[in-house]
Amino acid sequence: MLLQDELLDALEQCDSATSLIEASNKLINQKLKKLLPNVFVQDALVMEYAVVPLLKENGPLVTTDVASKLMFAMGKISLETYADIGLFDQMYEYTSKQSQVLTFGDDMVYDFLSNQSNLSKGKDSFYLDSINQLKFSSFDSFTQTRYESLIKTVLKLCCENLLESIEKEILG
């Protein structure tokens, strides 16, 4: 099984928003590192002496933030994709500094999803409507469970949609 498939399977196993954000961050970073060589001049000499050193484990392009900025600056990804990558990266930084695990019902997770550009447009906008209906309904334990399950599903969907957008825009 490919590493990406394993990580996507790991998203399903996540029991908290913190663990899902961490797994998503690994997936996004892996996708960026895999596709980054495609944004440079496709010359063997350039690849060997310039690109490979940039992508080494301790190279300057190993972080999600720097890689996405470069891709955006080179016009390889859209503003919306860049913004969503940035939101995932910021959320990862936030969750990694928290002493407590974020649950799927946490307001910070709701705010994160509300700001995802890939959810606010097109065919996936109904997910936000569904989340809002459950969030602002009278919560009983059944509704809370449904709400948190929907949040988890939409978080996974956001990650998968973002991975598809990155690949489509760079290889497209």
Side-chain angles (χ1 to χ4, degrees), residues 122-142:
K123 62 180 173 56
D124 294 329
S125 63
F126 74 91
Y127 286 112
L128 282 179
D129 295 338
S130 298
I131 289 170
N132 284 331
Q133 286 175 0
L134 283 175
K135 180 170 179 61
F136 298 112
S137 68
S138 61
F139 273 135
D140 56 14
S141 61
F142 178 70

Side-chain angles (χ1 to χ4, degrees), residues 28-37 55 57 61-63 67 71:
I28 293 165
N29 192 281
Q30 177 193 42
K31 179 65 78 178
L32 290 174
K33 287 195 311 193
K34 178 184 174 197
L35 295 174
L36 199 52
L55 298 174
E57 194 65 36
L61 298 180
V62 297
T63 66
M71 289 178 168

Side-chain angles (χ1 to χ4, degrees), residues 55-121:
L55 298 174
K56 283 187 176 176
E57 194 65 36
N58 60 352
L61 298 180
V62 297
T63 66
T64 302
D65 182 51
V66 174
S68 65
K69 281 181 182 172
L70 177 65
M71 289 178 168
F72 178 62
M74 295 179 77
K76 299 296 182 179
I77 59 174
S78 66
L79 177 60
E80 291 82 10
T81 298
Y82 172 70
D84 284 350
I85 293 169
L87 282 172
F88 266 98
D89 194 45
Q90 288 173 349
M91 190 65 165
Y92 172 72
E93 290 296 320
Y94 173 79
T95 58
S96 65
K97 292 177 181 164
Q98 298 305 306
S99 59
Q100 292 187 334
V101 172
L102 282 179
T103 65
F104 293 112
D106 193 289
D107 283 340
M108 182 63 86
V109 178
Y110 170 79
D111 291 342
F112 168 74
L113 286 174
S114 297
N115 288 305
Q116 286 288 307
S117 67
N118 71 31
L119 282 183
S120 62
K121 60 181 180 177

